[in-house]
Amino acid sequence: MRGGQGVRRLAVRVRVLVALGRPAVALLFALYTALGLAQAGHAEDRLLFAECVVPVVAFLLCSVCVNDLSDEAIDRVNLPGHWSRPLVTAAAGSRNLVVTAAVSAVVALGSASLLGLRPGVLMVAALALSAGYSLRPVRLADRGAVAALALPACYVALPYLLGLTATGAAVGPRDLMMLGGLYIGFVGRILLKDFRDVRGDALFGKRTFLVRHGRRATCLFSACCWVIGTCVILAATPRPTPAFVASYGVCLAAVLLILRALANEVGHRREEALIAGAAVIGRGLLVLQLAHVAMGQAGWGTGVQALVVGGVLLVTVGQVVGLVRYGPGTGLTTASLGQEAAEASSPGDRALVVNAPAR
């Protein structure tokens, strides 16, 4: 009997860690890390990739715990009963998150320092920025556009530069140009996250770009970031093939169509589907970039590269079409963590907040 209870407790703890690890975000971190390694000419160094992923994932766990502790009241409005917020669902307590954050910070800093001086310094800076994003008196999360500019420094710059510097390579102009393109593109993506959180953000005075300027301005600014970021990435890409450039063009066109629809959409489920589709395109672009650089370093022929790029594009477009038509899947259910899922707000409430800029 005791053994069965122990197994159940262990299973709950594992599920809580998975929720805190934000699987979709962890995948993004891994892709940016792999891009940094590939940019330095180590696209196939699997051991070094694993060594880099450890501090990156530990940093993610620490940042999520700190943010969840700081945003608990907002999350109870925006994401009541959602599996990804164990503090809200009571699957974990505040003490659990504090301990997880502290241990994760030590692991992140220690494992990054083992990779070298520059990765260690990067991790110190990233941990400080992450704390400033969530904690008072700094709390960048409440500062509108500043938050949208600061968060990509943790999401993009840390894993990319950690992978790049872990190889011992010098950071050149082309590397920085690639980082700039990835950063600008991610700003366009992170702005869309605020649609999900708009009601709680407005209620608690969190002045996000969406709350301050409204739906249309947010979609327009996001579109500009996507376009500029894509152009910069293509300019920084070594020897881009016609198939690679065409695939980027298709993905960019699809995102612009999604943003155009999102600028006029107020239905909650439809909104979720459009934003999920944009997220899939963002991940697809990263996979395309990584595949292109890796295949070039391996000396693959142009024809084979075109087939691989076409396959990645086909899978990406297929996922986007499915999401936009049928909506995102339920994923892990909240019932498994003890409560049922609930809508963050009614479509009418969301429309009132999203469509009108703050005065």
Side-chain angles (χ1 to χ4, degrees), residues 129-276:
L129 180 58
S130 177
Y133 180 84
S134 299
L135 301 177
R136 300 186 189 281
V138 180
R139 187 143 171 91
L140 298 175
D142 290 343
R143 306 195 180 190
V146 175
L149 296 176
L151 195 57
C154 294
Y155 275 62
V156 180
L158 171 67
Y160 174 82
L161 289 176
L162 191 142
L164 186 65
T165 57
T167 65
V171 180
R174 187 179 289 273
D175 302 322
L176 294 177
M177 183 183 294
M178 178 64 70
L179 174 59
L182 295 171
Y183 177 91
I184 295 171
F186 193 81
V187 170
R189 292 181 57 183
I190 204 67
L191 288 172
L192 303 182
K193 176 190 72 70
D194 294 334
F195 280 90
R196 180 198 66 187
D197 300 335
V198 63
R199 184 166 178 261
D201 292 345
L203 288 174
F204 287 90
K206 195 172 180 179
R207 311 300 287 170
T208 64
F209 191 94
L210 177 62
V211 171
R212 290 173 62 89
H213 301 288
R215 176 187 295 272
R216 292 180 180 273
T218 300
C219 290
L220 178 60
F221 187 70
S222 176
C224 292
C225 290
W226 278 90
V227 171
I228 295 171
T230 299
C231 292
V232 174
I233 289 172
L234 288 176
T237 301
R239 299 178 298 279
T241 63
F244 176 77
V245 175
S247 66
Y248 256 64
V250 170
C251 289
L252 180 59
V255 164
L256 294 179
L257 289 174
I258 287 175
L259 290 174
R260 181 180 179 184
L262 186 61
N264 301 298
E265 183 60 55
V266 295
H268 179 48
R269 289 295 299 170
R270 180 66 173 166
E271 187 178 276
E272 280 188 338
L274 291 171
I275 294 172

Side-chain angles (χ1 to χ4, degrees), residues 51-52 54-56 105-124 127 162 165-166:
E51 293 174 348
C52 291
V54 171
V56 164
V106 171
V107 172
L109 186 56
S111 54
S113 299
L114 290 176
L115 293 171
L117 176 62
R118 288 186 295 172
V121 172
L122 278 170
M123 186 58 70
V124 171
L127 288 169
L162 191 142
T165 57

